[in-house]
Amino acid sequence: MMGMVPNIYLLKYLNGKGLTVPEVEKMAKRYMKIGYDREQKYRFPDGSYSVWGPKTDDTGSMWLTSFVVKAFVQASKYIEVDKKSIMESMYWIIKQQGEDGCFQNKGYALHQELKGDPTSLSAAVLVTLIEAKYVIADWKPQFDSNSPRNSLDLERFGQVIDKAYRCVQ
């Protein structure tokens, strides 16, 4: 992720400034693709991600999965990403939401200061959900509507976001 995310922000900056630098854009997209492909080694079958991956960790990390989803959603504007796997990750995140709207901290965080409390975790996840909301509507038609992992409709997604807002207030 360290080699991927800065390139996303670089391209967002260039686009925001209206600048076109083809050589830089090509290289940034190449590094994003490398980072995207590498991150797949750390993905669990349930859609979550962890620092060391399923060969070492027992479960995915809420912090990391949220961060990865946000990065992949942002990167999808520049490189091809597997939208179904992002939807599966979103489904995993949503399953961790408690009745109070807060998200449960699961898995290992490499930097312990990231663990925080349920409110700070939920705020970070909420940012991911809000970013993802704007692209999910475009992706939905590609998926088999009979699959439970793809049953994330926008109305239910909006309810998840509303509950998360209540948690962080």
Side-chain angles (χ1 to χ4, degrees):
M1 296 304 295
M2 297 296 288
M4 179 182 181
V5 173
N7 290 288
I8 295 168
Y9 297 134
L10 171 65
L11 291 183
K12 285 174 85 169
Y13 174 80
L14 291 174
N15 289 339
K17 287 290 193 178
L19 299 172
T20 303
V21 187
E23 303 83 31
V24 172
E25 292 172 14
K26 182 179 177 181
M27 187 165 289
K29 289 177 183 180
R30 190 173 125 240
Y31 287 139
M32 272 192 263
K33 181 66 174 142
I34 290 168
Y36 174 79
D37 291 342
R38 271 191 197 144
E39 190 62 29
Q40 301 314 309
K41 293 187 284 189
Y42 306 100
R43 187 176 192 279
F44 283 76
D46 63 8
S48 64
Y49 290 83
S50 74
V51 174
W52 308 115
K55 291 182 181 176
T56 304
D57 290 334
D58 294 330
T59 184
S61 162
M62 176 56 80
W63 279 106
L64 185 58
T65 301
S66 177
F67 180 72
V68 167
V69 167
K70 184 172 86 167
F72 286 178
V73 164
Q74 292 173 346
S76 72
K77 296 173 185 160
Y78 307 107
I79 63 170
E80 185 65 33
V81 298
D82 182 1
K83 294 164 179 77
K84 184 176 180 183
S85 70
I86 293 175
M87 293 293 285
E88 290 173 345
S89 298
M90 292 299 303
Y91 184 78
W92 182 86
I93 288 171
I94 288 169
K95 285 185 0 184
Q96 312 313 316
Q97 188 176 39
E99 287 300 315
D100 61 355
C102 295
F103 289 89
Q104 306 305 308
N105 193 6
K106 291 192 90 167
Y108 174 73
L110 186 60
H111 298 283
Q112 294 304 308
E113 61 272 11
L114 286 178
K115 287 214 174 203
D117 61 20
T119 305
S120 60
L121 170 63
S122 296
V125 174
L126 180 58
V127 170
T128 296
L129 295 174
I130 291 169
E131 287 223 24
K133 180 179 181 180
Y134 296 106
V135 296
I136 285 177
D138 294 336
W139 295 351
K140 189 74 172 128
Q142 300 177 40
F143 305 120
D144 175 8
S145 60
N146 296 324
S147 171
R149 288 189 182 251
N150 297 323
S151 63
L152 186 59
D153 61 52
L154 289 177
E155 180 181 334
R156 179 166 175 244
F157 195 67
Q159 293 168 353
V160 169
I161 290 173
D162 289 344
K163 280 176 68 175
Y165 269 123
R166 285 194 298 275
C167 170
V168 299
Q169 290 180 334

